[in-house]
Amino acid sequence: MVNRLSLYLRELQQLTRDGTETTSSTRLGELLGLTGAQIRKDLAYFGQFGYPGIGYRCHELSEQIRNILGTSHTWPVALVGVGNLGRALLRYKGFSLRGFEVVALFDVSPTVVDTDVEGLPVFHLDDLADTMRVRQIRLAVLSVPAAAAQQVANRLVVAGVEGILNFAPVTLSLPENVSTVGVDLAIELEQLSFAVVNRTENA
Amino acid sequence: MVNRLSLYLRELQQLTRDGTETTSSTRLGELLGLTGAQIRKDLAYFGQFGYPGIGYRCHELSEQIRNILGTSHTWPVALVGVGNLGRALLRYKGFSLRGFEVVALFDVSPTVVDTDVEGLPVFHLDDLADTMRVRQIRLAVLSVPAAAAQQVANRLVVAGVEGILNFAPVTLSLPENVSTVGVDLAIELEQLSFAVVNRTENA
DNA sequence: TAGATTGTTAATCGATTAACAATC
DNA sequence: TAGATTGTTAATCGATTAACAATC
C-alpha cells in the first residue's frame, strides 16, 4: 500500500512542475489507473489532507506524503559495490530530487579503492563503520555480485546500517531491526513475461 | 502473487546449484520468510507439483514455474536507450540465466547510433519496427530519460511491442493489450525510508 | 444555491492462515 | 508402521469498492 503513496508523490510532483495547483482523487486515479476511492482511503489512513469540494493542493499533499515516507530531509546513502550497476546508479541523478544522496562509496577491489568515481572517493569496506558514523549514514545501496551479497550485508549490519536496498538476486537474511527492499531485474522481466503470455485471459 | 513465483524459482535454482534434490514448502518458506501454507496455496493455483510425504523436487519444480512464467524459452529483448543505465543493464549478465537475452539496441543520439556497445550494434529508433519483426522481439527494456519515455513507448507500441519494462520514473499510458512493469529506483528507496522510519512500530 | 469532492461507513471481494484427510 | 508432507477445505483476516452525508 505504501508503494502507492510513492506513486501519488511522483505524480503530484509532476503536476506541480506542470503548474497544476489542485487535483482530485478521481483525476489522480485516472493518471495512475486507480479508483478515486482507493486514493482517498490510502490517504485517510494517515490523516486528512484534502478539501471537500476542492480536492487536494498538489504541492501541499506532496509535502505531506514526503513527511509520511520520511523523505522531507535528504538521506545520506552509502553505495557498496562500485561495479557497472553501482556506477550507473551513481550517475543516475534522479535520487536527489526525491530525498536521497549517495555520499560515500565502498568496494574491496584494489583497482577501485582509493580512486574517485563520479567525484566521490571509494573507500575500502573496512572503513564502513567509521564512515557511516561520521557521515551519519543509515541507508545503503547494495550493488555487489550475488555471491558476495550476504557477507557484505552482514558487514553493513555490524556497521549499524538500518536499511538496505539490495540489487543482488538473493534473499538476504538480516536481523529484524534492519529493513530491506530488494530489486531483482530478472524478476521484473519474469513478471512481464507472465503478463504477456497470459494477456488474452486478462483482456 | 505471481511475483512470489519468481522468488520461489530463484530460490529453487539456488538450491539446485547447491546440489539439493528435494525441498518442502516449510523449508522454502523459511528461506523466503513465508509460511509453507502460502507456498502450497500459490502453487496449487497452477497445478499439483509436489509429492506428499516427500516435498518438491527442486529442478522439476523450477521447470514447472518457468513454464508458468513463460520463460522456458529465451525471450529476445530490445533495449531502448543506451545511456548509463542502459549500458549497466546490458553488462549485467544475470538475465540470460533466467530466460532473457538483449539482442538489439536502439537510441536516437548520433553519438551512439551505428556504434557497437557490448558487442551489439546500436540502431536508430526508426529501425524499431523492422528489427523487431526480423528478430521476433516482443519485449523491450525502456531506459530513456523520463521526458522521452512516453513518446518512445508510443513508438514501441506502433512497432508491435507486447511488453515494456520501464525504468523511467513516469506512469506510461499504454493500450491495454501492451503489458508494462515499472521499476523506479527512487520509489524503492522511499519504501526503504518508510520502513526504517516506522520500524519501531513494526517490531 | 448548485456542483464538486472529501472523509468515512458498510458491503464486497480476495488473500492468507489453520487444520487435516490423503499419500508416500 | 510411524513420520513427513502434500493439496484442499473452511475460517480468518485484510483490502477494495460503493455509497453518501458533510463540506466548500
Side-chain angles (χ1 to χ4, degrees), chain B residues 3 13 20 26 29 47 71 96-98 110 113 122 141-142 146 154 172 181 193 203:
Chain B
N3 69 85
Q13 289 186 153
T20 308
T26 308
T71 56
S96 49
L97 286 155
R98 298 281 279 282
V113 169
V122 181
V141 171
L142 188 57
N154 292 344
L172 296 178
V181 169
S193 168

mmCIF file with all atom_site columns, all heavy atoms in Angstrom, chain B residues 3 13 20 26 29 47 71 96-98 110 113 122 141-142 146 154 172 181 193 203:
data_model
loop_
_atom_site.group_PDB
_atom_site.id
_atom_site.type_symbol
_atom_site.label_atom_id
_atom_site.label_alt_id
_atom_site.label_comp_id
_atom_site.label_asym_id
_atom_site.label_entity_id
_atom_site.label_seq_id
_atom_site.pdbx_PDB_ins_code
_atom_site.Cartn_x
_atom_site.Cartn_y
_atom_site.Cartn_z
_atom_site.occupancy
_atom_site.B_iso_or_equiv
_atom_site.pdbx_formal_charge
_atom_site.auth_seq_id
_atom_site.auth_comp_id
_atom_site.auth_asym_id
_atom_site.auth_atom_id
_atom_site.pdbx_PDB_model_num
ATOM 1   N N   . ASN B 1 3   ? 4.556  -12.545 -8.396  1.00 0.00 ? 3   ASN B N   1
ATOM 2   C CA  . ASN B 1 3   ? 5.926  -12.153 -8.047  1.00 0.00 ? 3   ASN B CA  1
ATOM 3   C C   . ASN B 1 3   ? 6.543  -13.137 -7.049  1.00 0.00 ? 3   ASN B C   1
ATOM 4   O O   . ASN B 1 3   ? 7.754  -13.315 -7.030  1.00 0.00 ? 3   ASN B O   1
ATOM 5   C CB  . ASN B 1 3   ? 5.953  -10.720 -7.508  1.00 0.00 ? 3   ASN B CB  1
ATOM 6   C CG  . ASN B 1 3   ? 5.277  -10.617 -6.163  1.00 0.00 ? 3   ASN B CG  1
ATOM 7   O OD1 . ASN B 1 3   ? 5.895  -10.865 -5.124  1.00 0.00 ? 3   ASN B OD1 1
ATOM 8   N ND2 . ASN B 1 3   ? 4.002  -10.284 -6.158  1.00 0.00 ? 3   ASN B ND2 1
ATOM 9   N N   . GLN B 1 13  ? 16.361 -22.514 -7.923  1.00 0.00 ? 13  GLN B N   1
ATOM 10  C CA  . GLN B 1 13  ? 17.538 -22.605 -8.780  1.00 0.00 ? 13  GLN B CA  1
ATOM 11  C C   . GLN B 1 13  ? 18.808 -22.580 -7.936  1.00 0.00 ? 13  GLN B C   1
ATOM 12  O O   . GLN B 1 13  ? 19.785 -23.265 -8.232  1.00 0.00 ? 13  GLN B O   1
ATOM 13  C CB  . GLN B 1 13  ? 17.525 -21.467 -9.807  1.00 0.00 ? 13  GLN B CB  1
ATOM 14  C CG  . GLN B 1 13  ? 16.449 -21.659 -10.865 1.00 0.00 ? 13  GLN B CG  1
ATOM 15  C CD  . GLN B 1 13  ? 16.486 -20.624 -11.990 1.00 0.00 ? 13  GLN B CD  1
ATOM 16  O OE1 . GLN B 1 13  ? 16.065 -20.902 -13.107 1.00 0.00 ? 13  GLN B OE1 1
ATOM 17  N NE2 . GLN B 1 13  ? 16.975 -19.427 -11.699 1.00 0.00 ? 13  GLN B NE2 1
ATOM 18  N N   . THR B 1 20  ? 20.905 -29.627 -3.921  1.00 0.00 ? 20  THR B N   1
ATOM 19  C CA  . THR B 1 20  ? 19.746 -30.127 -3.178  1.00 0.00 ? 20  THR B CA  1
ATOM 20  C C   . THR B 1 20  ? 18.732 -30.724 -4.140  1.00 0.00 ? 20  THR B C   1
ATOM 21  O O   . THR B 1 20  ? 18.318 -30.069 -5.095  1.00 0.00 ? 20  THR B O   1
ATOM 22  C CB  . THR B 1 20  ? 19.085 -28.978 -2.382  1.00 0.00 ? 20  THR B CB  1
ATOM 23  O OG1 . THR B 1 20  ? 20.085 -28.312 -1.611  1.00 0.00 ? 20  THR B OG1 1
ATOM 24  C CG2 . THR B 1 20  ? 18.012 -29.518 -1.447  1.00 0.00 ? 20  THR B CG2 1
ATOM 25  N N   . THR B 1 26  ? 7.651  -25.912 3.754   1.00 0.00 ? 26  THR B N   1
ATOM 26  C CA  . THR B 1 26  ? 8.075  -25.312 5.022   1.00 0.00 ? 26  THR B CA  1
ATOM 27  C C   . THR B 1 26  ? 9.508  -24.787 4.931   1.00 0.00 ? 26  THR B C   1
ATOM 28  O O   . THR B 1 26  ? 9.797  -23.658 5.327   1.00 0.00 ? 26  THR B O   1
ATOM 29  C CB  . THR B 1 26  ? 7.979  -26.345 6.168   1.00 0.00 ? 26  THR B CB  1
ATOM 30  O OG1 . THR B 1 26  ? 6.668  -26.916 6.168   1.00 0.00 ? 26  THR B OG1 1
ATOM 31  C CG2 . THR B 1 26  ? 8.249  -25.688 7.498   1.00 0.00 ? 26  THR B CG2 1
ATOM 32  N N   . GLY B 1 29  ? 9.698  -21.836 2.722   1.00 0.00 ? 29  GLY B N   1
ATOM 33  C CA  . GLY B 1 29  ? 9.132  -20.704 3.438   1.00 0.00 ? 29  GLY B CA  1
ATOM 34  C C   . GLY B 1 29  ? 10.129 -20.079 4.398   1.00 0.00 ? 29  GLY B C   1
ATOM 35  O O   . GLY B 1 29  ? 10.209 -18.854 4.508   1.00 0.00 ? 29  GLY B O   1
ATOM 36  N N   . GLY B 1 47  ? -1.463 -26.007 -10.358 1.00 0.00 ? 47  GLY B N   1
ATOM 37  C CA  . GLY B 1 47  ? -1.427 -27.453 -10.564 1.00 0.00 ? 47  GLY B CA  1
ATOM 38  C C   . GLY B 1 47  ? -0.890 -28.187 -9.360  1.00 0.00 ? 47  GLY B C   1
ATOM 39  O O   . GLY B 1 47  ? -0.726 -27.603 -8.281  1.00 0.00 ? 47  GLY B O   1
ATOM 40  N N   . THR B 1 71  ? 9.031  -18.528 -19.305 1.00 0.00 ? 71  THR B N   1
ATOM 41  C CA  . THR B 1 71  ? 10.463 -18.334 -19.558 1.00 0.00 ? 71  THR B CA  1
ATOM 42  C C   . THR B 1 71  ? 11.174 -19.655 -19.840 1.00 0.00 ? 71  THR B C   1
ATOM 43  O O   . THR B 1 71  ? 12.382 -19.780 -19.610 1.00 0.00 ? 71  THR B O   1
ATOM 44  C CB  . THR B 1 71  ? 11.137 -17.622 -18.363 1.00 0.00 ? 71  THR B CB  1
ATOM 45  O OG1 . THR B 1 71  ? 10.907 -18.379 -17.167 1.00 0.00 ? 71  THR B OG1 1
ATOM 46  C CG2 . THR B 1 71  ? 10.598 -16.225 -18.188 1.00 0.00 ? 71  THR B CG2 1
ATOM 47  N N   . SER B 1 96  ? 20.366 -13.713 -18.876 1.00 0.00 ? 96  SER B N   1
ATOM 48  C CA  . SER B 1 96  ? 20.397 -14.909 -19.727 1.00 0.00 ? 96  SER B CA  1
ATOM 49  C C   . SER B 1 96  ? 20.105 -16.172 -18.925 1.00 0.00 ? 96  SER B C   1
ATOM 50  O O   . SER B 1 96  ? 19.452 -17.096 -19.417 1.00 0.00 ? 96  SER B O   1
ATOM 51  C CB  . SER B 1 96  ? 21.752 -15.012 -20.432 1.00 0.00 ? 96  SER B CB  1
ATOM 52  O OG  . SER B 1 96  ? 22.793 -14.841 -19.505 1.00 0.00 ? 96  SER B OG  1
ATOM 53  N N   . LEU B 1 97  ? 20.560 -16.190 -17.676 1.00 0.00 ? 97  LEU B N   1
ATOM 54  C CA  . LEU B 1 97  ? 20.293 -17.341 -16.812 1.00 0.00 ? 97  LEU B CA  1
ATOM 55  C C   . LEU B 1 97  ? 18.805 -17.526 -16.558 1.00 0.00 ? 97  LEU B C   1
ATOM 56  O O   . LEU B 1 97  ? 18.363 -18.604 -16.191 1.00 0.00 ? 97  LEU B O   1
ATOM 57  C CB  . LEU B 1 97  ? 20.991 -17.166 -15.458 1.00 0.00 ? 97  LEU B CB  1
ATOM 58  C CG  . LEU B 1 97  ? 22.498 -17.355 -15.410 1.00 0.00 ? 97  LEU B CG  1
ATOM 59  C CD1 . LEU B 1 97  ? 23.090 -16.585 -14.248 1.00 0.00 ? 97  LEU B CD1 1
ATOM 60  C CD2 . LEU B 1 97  ? 22.820 -18.838 -15.306 1.00 0.00 ? 97  LEU B CD2 1
ATOM 61  N N   . ARG B 1 98  ? 18.058 -16.452 -16.718 1.00 0.00 ? 98  ARG B N   1
ATOM 62  C CA  . ARG B 1 98  ? 16.648 -16.522 -16.337 1.00 0.00 ? 98  ARG B CA  1
ATOM 63  C C   . ARG B 1 98  ? 15.706 -16.444 -17.537 1.00 0.00 ? 98  ARG B C   1
ATOM 64  O O   . ARG B 1 98  ? 14.503 -16.279 -17.370 1.00 0.00 ? 98  ARG B O   1
ATOM 65  C CB  . ARG B 1 98  ? 16.332 -15.384 -15.354 1.00 0.00 ? 98  ARG B CB  1
ATOM 66  C CG  . ARG B 1 98  ? 17.127 -15.471 -14.057 1.00 0.00 ? 98  ARG B CG  1
ATOM 67  C CD  . ARG B 1 98  ? 16.548 -16.477 -13.090 1.00 0.00 ? 98  ARG B CD  1
ATOM 68  N NE  . ARG B 1 98  ? 15.439 -15.926 -12.377 1.00 0.00 ? 98  ARG B NE  1
ATOM 69  C CZ  . ARG B 1 98  ? 15.536 -15.082 -11.353 1.00 0.00 ? 98  ARG B CZ  1
ATOM 70  N NH1 . ARG B 1 98  ? 16.705 -14.704 -10.912 1.00 0.00 ? 98  ARG B NH1 1
ATOM 71  N NH2 . ARG B 1 98  ? 14.469 -14.629 -10.763 1.00 0.00 ? 98  ARG B NH2 1
ATOM 72  N N   . PRO B 1 110 ? 23.098 10.651  -32.215 1.00 0.00 ? 110 PRO B N   1
ATOM 73  C CA  . PRO B 1 110 ? 24.073 10.338  -33.279 1.00 0.00 ? 110 PRO B CA  1
ATOM 74  C C   . PRO B 1 110 ? 25.395 9.822   -32.724 1.00 0.00 ? 110 PRO B C   1
ATOM 75  O O   . PRO B 1 110 ? 26.147 9.141   -33.420 1.00 0.00 ? 110 PRO B O   1
ATOM 76  C CB  . PRO B 1 110 ? 24.282 11.697  -33.975 1.00 0.00 ? 110 PRO B CB  1
ATOM 77  C CG  . PRO B 1 110 ? 23.109 12.529  -33.573 1.00 0.00 ? 110 PRO B CG  1
ATOM 78  C CD  . PRO B 1 110 ? 22.689 12.056  -32.228 1.00 0.00 ? 110 PRO B CD  1
ATOM 79  N N   . VAL B 1 113 ? 24.316 5.886   -32.161 1.00 0.00 ? 113 VAL B N   1
ATOM 80  C CA  . VAL B 1 113 ? 23.723 5.143   -33.269 1.00 0.00 ? 113 VAL B CA  1
ATOM 81  C C   . VAL B 1 113 ? 24.823 4.720   -34.239 1.00 0.00 ? 113 VAL B C   1
ATOM 82  O O   . VAL B 1 113 ? 25.722 5.496   -34.545 1.00 0.00 ? 113 VAL B O   1
ATOM 83  C CB  . VAL B 1 113 ? 22.651 5.997   -33.999 1.00 0.00 ? 113 VAL B CB  1
ATOM 84  C CG1 . VAL B 1 113 ? 22.224 5.333   -35.304 1.00 0.00 ? 113 VAL B CG1 1
ATOM 85  C CG2 . VAL B 1 113 ? 21.443 6.217   -33.091 1.00 0.00 ? 113 VAL B CG2 1
ATOM 86  N N   . VAL B 1 122 ? 24.112 -0.560  -32.270 1.00 0.00 ? 122 VAL B N   1
ATOM 87  C CA  . VAL B 1 122 ? 23.034 0.336   -31.847 1.00 0.00 ? 122 VAL B CA  1
ATOM 88  C C   . VAL B 1 122 ? 22.312 0.854   -33.087 1.00 0.00 ? 122 VAL B C   1
ATOM 89  O O   . VAL B 1 122 ? 22.922 1.487   -33.943 1.00 0.00 ? 122 VAL B O   1
ATOM 90  C CB  . VAL B 1 122 ? 23.589 1.532   -31.041 1.00 0.00 ? 122 VAL B CB  1
ATOM 91  C CG1 . VAL B 1 122 ? 22.444 2.444   -30.599 1.00 0.00 ? 122 VAL B CG1 1
ATOM 92  C CG2 . VAL B 1 122 ? 24.384 1.048   -29.838 1.00 0.00 ? 122 VAL B CG2 1
ATOM 93  N N   . VAL B 1 141 ? 13.097 -3.262  -23.007 1.00 0.00 ? 141 VAL B N   1
ATOM 94  C CA  . VAL B 1 141 ? 13.527 -2.574  -21.794 1.00 0.00 ? 141 VAL B CA  1
ATOM 95  C C   . VAL B 1 141 ? 13.681 -1.105  -22.162 1.00 0.00 ? 141 VAL B C   1
ATOM 96  O O   . VAL B 1 141 ? 14.378 -0.773  -23.117 1.00 0.00 ? 141 VAL B O   1
ATOM 97  C CB  . VAL B 1 141 ? 14.866 -3.132  -21.272 1.00 0.00 ? 141 VAL B CB  1
ATOM 98  C CG1 . VAL B 1 141 ? 15.408 -2.277  -20.142 1.00 0.00 ? 141 VAL B CG1 1
ATOM 99  C CG2 . VAL B 1 141 ? 14.699 -4.579  -20.822 1.00 0.00 ? 141 VAL B CG2 1
ATOM 100 N N   . LEU B 1 142 ? 12.994 -0.255  -21.414 1.00 0.00 ? 142 LEU B N   1
ATOM 101 C CA  . LEU B 1 142 ? 12.987 1.172   -21.725 1.00 0.00 ? 142 LEU B CA  1
ATOM 102 C C   . LEU B 1 142 ? 13.840 1.925   -20.703 1.00 0.00 ? 142 LEU B C   1
ATOM 103 O O   . LEU B 1 142 ? 13.452 2.080   -19.545 1.00 0.00 ? 142 LEU B O   1
ATOM 104 C CB  . LEU B 1 142 ? 11.540 1.679   -21.699 1.00 0.00 ? 142 LEU B CB  1
ATOM 105 C CG  . LEU B 1 142 ? 11.241 3.101   -22.162 1.00 0.00 ? 142 LEU B CG  1
ATOM 106 C CD1 . LEU B 1 142 ? 11.736 3.324   -23.587 1.00 0.00 ? 142 LEU B CD1 1
ATOM 107 C CD2 . LEU B 1 142 ? 9.753  3.385   -22.065 1.00 0.00 ? 142 LEU B CD2 1
ATOM 108 N N   . ALA B 1 146 ? 13.191 10.360  -18.479 1.00 0.00 ? 146 ALA B N   1
ATOM 109 C CA  . ALA B 1 146 ? 11.764 10.439  -18.152 1.00 0.00 ? 146 ALA B CA  1
ATOM 110 C C   . ALA B 1 146 ? 10.989 11.243  -19.188 1.00 0.00 ? 146 ALA B C   1
ATOM 111 O O   . ALA B 1 146 ? 9.892  10.855  -19.604 1.00 0.00 ? 146 ALA B O   1
ATOM 112 C CB  . ALA B 1 146 ? 11.582 11.051  -16.760 1.00 0.00 ? 146 ALA B CB  1
ATOM 113 N N   . ASN B 1 154 ? 5.316  5.042   -27.118 1.00 0.00 ? 154 ASN B N   1
ATOM 114 C CA  . ASN B 1 154 ? 4.340  5.082   -28.217 1.00 0.00 ? 154 ASN B CA  1
ATOM 115 C C   . ASN B 1 154 ? 4.919  4.450   -29.478 1.00 0.00 ? 154 ASN B C   1
ATOM 116 O O   . ASN B 1 154 ? 4.235  3.704   -30.181 1.00 0.00 ? 154 ASN B O   1
ATOM 117 C CB  . ASN B 1 154 ? 3.926  6.526   -28.505 1.00 0.00 ? 154 ASN B CB  1
ATOM 118 C CG  . ASN B 1 154 ? 3.121  7.132   -27.372 1.00 0.00 ? 154 ASN B CG  1
ATOM 119 O OD1 . ASN B 1 154 ? 2.611  6.421   -26.498 1.00 0.00 ? 154 ASN B OD1 1
ATOM 120 N ND2 . ASN B 1 154 ? 3.024  8.462   -27.365 1.00 0.00 ? 154 ASN B ND2 1
ATOM 121 N N   . LEU B 1 172 ? 3.416  5.196   -17.623 1.00 0.00 ? 172 LEU B N   1
ATOM 122 C CA  . LEU B 1 172 ? 3.159  5.178   -19.057 1.00 0.00 ? 172 LEU B CA  1
ATOM 123 C C   . LEU B 1 172 ? 1.683  4.946   -19.319 1.00 0.00 ? 172 LEU B C   1
ATOM 124 O O   . LEU B 1 172 ? 1.021  4.179   -18.628 1.00 0.00 ? 172 LEU B O   1
ATOM 125 C CB  . LEU B 1 172 ? 3.971  4.071   -19.732 1.00 0.00 ? 172 LEU B CB  1
ATOM 126 C CG  . LEU B 1 172 ? 5.487  4.202   -19.668 1.00 0.00 ? 172 LEU B CG  1
ATOM 127 C CD1 . LEU B 1 172 ? 6.134  2.989   -20.335 1.00 0.00 ? 172 LEU B CD1 1
ATOM 128 C CD2 . LEU B 1 172 ? 5.957  5.491   -20.334 1.00 0.00 ? 172 LEU B CD2 1
ATOM 129 N N   . VAL B 1 181 ? 5.730  -3.175  -16.805 1.00 0.00 ? 181 VAL B N   1
ATOM 130 C CA  . VAL B 1 181 ? 6.215  -3.298  -15.435 1.00 0.00 ? 181 VAL B CA  1
ATOM 131 C C   . VAL B 1 181 ? 7.162  -2.128  -15.231 1.00 0.00 ? 181 VAL B C   1
ATOM 132 O O   . VAL B 1 181 ? 8.015  -1.872  -16.072 1.00 0.00 ? 181 VAL B O   1
ATOM 133 C CB  . VAL B 1 181 ? 6.952  -4.634  -15.211 1.00 0.00 ? 181 VAL B CB  1
ATOM 134 C CG1 . VAL B 1 181 ? 7.674  -4.650  -13.873 1.00 0.00 ? 181 VAL B CG1 1
ATOM 135 C CG2 . VAL B 1 181 ? 5.985  -5.809  -15.301 1.00 0.00 ? 181 VAL B CG2 1
ATOM 136 N N   . SER B 1 193 ? 12.947 4.000   3.160   1.00 0.00 ? 193 SER B N   1
ATOM 137 C CA  . SER B 1 193 ? 12.877 5.107   4.108   1.00 0.00 ? 193 SER B CA  1
ATOM 138 C C   . SER B 1 193 ? 11.676 4.940   5.030   1.00 0.00 ? 193 SER B C   1
ATOM 139 O O   . SER B 1 193 ? 11.795 5.020   6.263   1.00 0.00 ? 193 SER B O   1
ATOM 140 C CB  . SER B 1 193 ? 12.781 6.432   3.354   1.00 0.00 ? 193 SER B CB  1
ATOM 141 O OG  . SER B 1 193 ? 12.443 7.484   4.230   1.00 0.00 ? 193 SER B OG  1
ATOM 142 N N   . ALA B 1 203 ? 8.206  -3.643  14.810  1.00 0.00 ? 203 ALA B N   1
ATOM 143 C CA  . ALA B 1 203 ? 8.871  -4.635  15.668  1.00 0.00 ? 203 ALA B CA  1
ATOM 144 C C   . ALA B 1 203 ? 8.388  -4.548  17.113  1.00 0.00 ? 203 ALA B C   1
ATOM 145 O O   . ALA B 1 203 ? 7.321  -4.051  17.373  1.00 0.00 ? 203 ALA B O   1
ATOM 146 C CB  . ALA B 1 203 ? 10.384 -4.436  15.615  1.00 0.00 ? 203 ALA B CB  1
#
